[in-house]
Amino acid sequence: MSNNHTFTEAEQAYYDQLDEDVTAGRIPIIGRGTPRGGSRISDDELDAILQGRPNLGHDHATGRGRSPRRQVRLPEHTNNALDAYSAKHNTTASAVIRDAL
């Protein structure tokens, strides 16, 4: 993975501190990934993890362009059911709709 992003001093300091905190065990573990045999994660891998979900713009999940959006009207009872389901499963209505499609 390559990009042309150059970190500011503040960004680099943030990532350096985050790396120290993770290495020292000050960041709680929320899940286990692929075993790495003690090797450190690369800067590119860390960037990919921290930047979150890419948008789905015209270049398809590249982080460029706007994500297409569709709107739909729902009957009140369907909307209420969607809200209840989302709350019960600790997710968003948008995520439920994406999964349904």
Side-chain angles (χ1 to χ4, degrees), residues 83-99:
D83 288 341
Y85 181 92
S86 300
K88 180 179 179 181
H89 292 89
N90 196 28
T91 188
T92 65
S94 294
V96 173
I97 292 168
R98 277 191 298 275
D99 288 345

Side-chain angles (χ1 to χ4, degrees), residues 12 23-24 35-36 41 45 48 61 71 80:
Q12 189 60 54
T23 302
R36 300 183 61 84
I41 190 168
E45 290 172 306
Q71 292 179 312
N80 292 340

Side-chain angles (χ1 to χ4, degrees), residues 19 22 36 38-50:
D19 183 47
V22 169
R36 300 183 61 84
S39 66
R40 292 181 59 167
I41 190 168
S42 73
D43 288 343
D44 286 341
E45 290 172 306
L46 182 61
D47 290 342
I49 291 167
L50 295 176

Side-chain angles (χ1 to χ4, degrees), residues 10-97:
E11 289 172 324
Q12 189 60 54
Y14 170 80
Y15 287 128
D16 288 345
Q17 184 62 53
L18 180 61
D19 183 47
E20 288 179 27
D21 290 343
V22 169
T23 302
R26 292 187 290 264
I27 304 292
I29 297 171
I30 58 172
R32 295 275 181 200
T34 304
R36 300 183 61 84
S39 66
R40 292 181 59 167
I41 190 168
S42 73
D43 288 343
D44 286 341
E45 290 172 306
L46 182 61
D47 290 342
I49 291 167
L50 295 176
Q51 76 188 99
R53 179 175 41 151
N55 73 41
L56 302 173
H58 68 279
D59 291 326
H60 188 66
T62 61
R64 296 186 303 264
R66 289 186 50 136
S67 296
R69 181 175 68 167
R70 301 286 178 150
Q71 292 179 312
V72 61
R73 292 182 184 267
L74 300 174
E76 187 173 350
H77 69 278
T78 303
N79 188 59
N80 292 340
L82 177 59
D83 288 341
Y85 181 92
S86 300
K88 180 179 179 181
H89 292 89
N90 196 28
T91 188
T92 65
S94 294
V96 173
I97 292 168

